[in-house]
Amino acid sequence: MASAVAAVNASLPAAYDIIETEIAVPMRDGYQAIARVRKPNSLSTEGHPLIILAFGGGWIAGDNSQMVVEARALVRAFSAVVVNISYRLAPEHKFPQSWEDSWDNLVWLATHAPELGADPSNGFIMGGTSAGAGLTAVCARKAQVEPLAYPLTGQWLNVPSILSDHQISEKWKHLYVSKQQNEHA
């Protein structure tokens, strides 16, 4: 999967209107996670919204280079600072490592947003695809209980895994069929 993502990213044209850098984000155990930061080439003195993206891969595959196209589009569409975070993967890093890393990224980025040219009071969104969407949902819920330096103003959940069978009301269970429809997928 990593080689396929690398091949796609290599085929992308250079983004001359976007500044792209990498930063090290400290985790609670001293590990340094690498985050990819993308922001407008000309920074506003008023600060930019902050958007954090978490990649998918079933908590066992992938990396923060997967969402380059989406990150660049968000920079251009919203004049935002977009950060693709990284988190450690299973099976080498058991649960709850990916959740803890995602939360540590979110806390650090909220605290250090001004250093990146972002002002989360102009908008502060976390989002992700698949496993990244699940991580986003957990972080957004935790942020309600443990406030961040700036409150989240939204979340984007693309194909999250957030419900189990026992959480579905009897009234709606007849519509909850994707597990049966895709059991051999």
Side-chain angles (χ1 to χ4, degrees), residues 17-106:
D17 58 334
I18 296 173
I19 298 169
E20 297 181 324
T21 60
E22 290 184 350
I23 59 171
V25 179
M27 302 291 105
R28 65 187 69 193
D29 61 1
Y31 176 76
Q32 297 286 311
I34 300 301
R36 296 171 189 257
V37 180
R38 292 176 176 83
K39 54 190 170 185
N41 207 7
S42 56
L43 295 176
S44 165
T45 57
E46 297 173 13
H48 298 268
L50 178 60
I51 300 173
I52 298 171
L53 297 177
F55 64 90
W59 298 281
I60 62 167
D63 64 40
N64 65 1
S65 68
Q66 286 176 223
M67 301 175 76
V68 173
V69 173
E70 293 87 344
R72 288 177 178 173
L74 291 167
V75 171
R76 291 179 180 124
F78 301 108
S79 189
V81 173
V82 180
V83 182
N84 297 73
I85 63 169
S86 62
Y87 54 88
R88 288 172 277 185
L89 302 172
E92 295 83 6
H93 301 281
K94 305 287 185 219
F95 176 85
Q97 192 68 66
S98 60
W99 308 100
E100 291 173 348
D101 286 356
S102 297
W103 177 252
D104 291 350
N105 272 287
L106 183 61

Side-chain angles (χ1 to χ4, degrees), residues 94-158:
K94 305 287 185 219
F95 176 85
Q97 192 68 66
S98 60
W99 308 100
E100 291 173 348
D101 286 356
S102 297
W103 177 252
D104 291 350
N105 272 287
L106 183 61
V107 169
W108 192 90
L109 289 165
T111 302
H112 296 272
E115 298 165 28
L116 302 174
D119 180 356
S121 63
N122 291 330
F124 185 16
I125 295 171
M126 183 172 181
T129 297
S130 192
L135 294 169
T136 295
V138 169
C139 286
R141 176 64 184 112
K142 187 169 182 175
Q144 292 175 320
V145 182
E146 295 182 32
L148 300 163
Y150 296 86
L152 284 173
T153 59
Q155 57 182 313
W156 171 65
L157 306 178
N158 183 26

